[in-house]
Amino acid sequence: MHEENAARLLLATLGKSLFERGYSVGSAGNISVRLPDGYLMTPTNSCLGRLDPDRISKLAPDWSHLAGDKPSKEVFLHRAFLTARPDAGAIVHLHSTYATAIACLAVPGDDAPIPPLTPYFVMRVGRRLPVIPYYRPGDGAMEPAVHAAALTARALLLANHGPVVSGATLTDAVHAAEELEESAKLALLLRGIPGLRRLSAGQVEELL
Ligand code: 13P
């Protein structure tokens, strides 16, 4: 129980931090955390900046709703990711502006819509960032596509919707989501500029 309470408090603290720095607006985004006896998930229509730790949804290992407010409509998305990646302890889904801009430009099926420009993008997000076709938010039909992509990638983009990022811990997932957003911003700032230098294949390889 101590572990769960600590996770509830950390989720509220990091949600507020993301919101206050503009990584999430309104009630956009949702976060899940794996626990020994199930999952925590942000409630549907909640604002990441104002999460009440006691009202965060608790789900059973079979993903049924146990306690707290009604969970995010994106439970399928989180289930697909956490099932595919036993190494992941948390998932962060945002509508952060620059990563979402890339999600509107990239072609579904592409798996590297952001070039490796800086080492921390490669270290935190990984080499691959698959782009999943568009699905209506909360559409359970996205689950197989998300699951398949998450088997070989730590993060992905939902076309015309936004990024989904995993991490070994909640803090790791938040750091990776921030790194992805800043890398998307850099990629758009530098797009088409002559002389733009990417990391070489060898430089990428030694970071993985
Ligand atoms: P929820 O409020 O149900 O979590 O949905 C928000 C969202 O970001 C949809 O993609």
Side-chain angles (χ1 to χ4, degrees), residues 24-25 27-31 41-48 70-75 77-78 93-95 136-138 142 158 161-162:
S24 168
V25 298
S27 67
N30 32 72
I31 303 177
M41 187 161 301
T42 50
T44 190
N45 296 322
S46 59
C47 170
L48 293 189
K70 187 178 173 203
S72 170
K73 69 172 86 67
E74 303 288 23
V75 61
L77 174 64
H78 293 259
H93 165 52
L94 299 172
H95 300 170
R136 172 181 54 78
M142 78 175 76
L158 302 172
H161 184 167

